[in-house]
Structure formats: structure tokens, C-alpha cells
Amino acid sequence: MDFDQLHTFLEIVRLKSFSKAAQTCYRTQPAISAQVRQLEQELRADLFERFGSRISLTTAGRIFAGHAEQMLELRRRAQDTIAELETNPRGELVIAANEATCIYILPTVFSVYRGLFPPCNCRWTALTPRAWWKQWRRTRPISG
């Protein structure tokens, strides 16, 4: 099951027609029927009752339609949240510095940073050069 199948299924439900859904999905009617057949096989249930050219949802189809809508909505929300990272960074900024930098410089820098990026957490730690080196070696990304 994939998002395209869910979208196609919901278009059929919305339009109450395989052929109209094929037009809005830019596919042939046999391709739409094949997607529904795959969904029905995967779910092991008929989703539509067919009466000649008319269709209606089965009980399983009605249940699945609700879940399909939720899945597509969750996908949209995930995409929106990820896209929002481009304009509103989130996460944690951690800086290790000597004591003088932590006392005299970083509070001002973090104040400005928090104003620009409110969802980000900022913290700093005063480290000796030796402690900094140990920390860096432990947390640095492993390359190739």
C-alpha cells in the first residue's frame, strides 16, 4: 500500500466513479481498477460494491476510507513540519567554551539567538582544553 493508492481510493470515494477518478488522477480506468484490486488483495476485503456502472463502499471500504484520510493527513502534516524547518530551525545548540567566554560573551550571543530562533534550546558548558578535546573526540561525526 502506498500514498498514491490511498489518494486514488479516496478520489473514487469522493467522485463515486472509477472513470472520473481516472481522469482526475491522470490515469486510465484499468490502471485505477488495478490499484483498487491491489488494495483489496492486501486488505483481504472488498472495498466497493459494484452495481454495473454504480459503486458504493462496503463496510470495510467505509472503515478504510477513514484510515486512508488520516494517513494522507498525517503525511501532509509531516511534510509541512519538515518544510517548516527551512524557515524555523529547531533543535539544540550546545557550545563548550572557556569560562570567560561563558560568562562574558555567550549570554549576549544566546539572547540574540533565542530572539531569532525561539524553538531552539541553547546551553553552554565551561570546559578546560583537555575536557573539550575529550568531548570533541567522543561526539564528532565518524567520517567515511
Side-chain angles (χ1 to χ4, degrees):
M1 171 180 331
D2 60 33
F3 292 117
D4 186 51
Q5 288 173 320
L6 298 177
H7 173 73
T8 300
F9 169 75
L10 290 175
E11 278 295 291
I12 296 167
V13 171
R14 183 177 70 85
L15 298 169
K16 296 177 176 43
S17 167
F18 279 65
S19 57
K20 289 178 184 175
Q23 291 173 348
T24 63
C25 293
Y26 303 104
R27 297 217 165 73
T28 63
Q29 193 274 328
I32 296 294
S33 295
Q35 281 189 317
V36 171
R37 201 169 25 260
Q38 287 174 342
L39 275 176
E40 290 176 331
Q41 288 173 353
E42 186 173 340
L43 295 169
R44 296 185 195 138
D46 289 337
L47 299 174
F48 294 100
E49 291 180 15
R50 293 152 177 92
F51 308 102
S53 62
R54 293 180 336 134
I55 59 169
S56 68
L57 285 172
T58 63
T59 301
R62 282 191 297 279
I63 291 169
F64 184 66
H67 290 290
E69 288 172 358
Q70 289 176 357
M71 287 185 271
L72 289 179
E73 173 62 20
L74 187 58
R75 175 187 183 218
R76 188 196 57 75
R77 286 180 24 216
Q79 288 172 325
D80 290 348
T81 302
I82 298 300
E84 188 180 296
L85 288 175
E86 293 293 320
T87 57
N88 297 317
R90 297 175 191 215
E92 185 174 44
L93 174 65
V94 180
I95 295 178
N98 64 35
E99 189 173 354
T101 303
C102 288
I103 293 171
Y104 299 109
I105 297 172
L106 291 181
T108 304
V109 171
F110 281 169
S111 176
V112 171
Y113 190 85
R114 280 191 187 115
L116 295 171
F117 307 108
C120 292
N121 295 323
C122 302
R123 66 183 171 92
W124 61 86
T125 306
L127 295 176
T128 64
R130 178 180 225 167
W132 178 87
W133 179 251
K134 280 183 175 179
Q135 180 77 11
W136 181 81
R137 290 187 68 210
R138 189 173 49 118
T139 61
R140 69 187 168 118
I142 299 172
S143 59

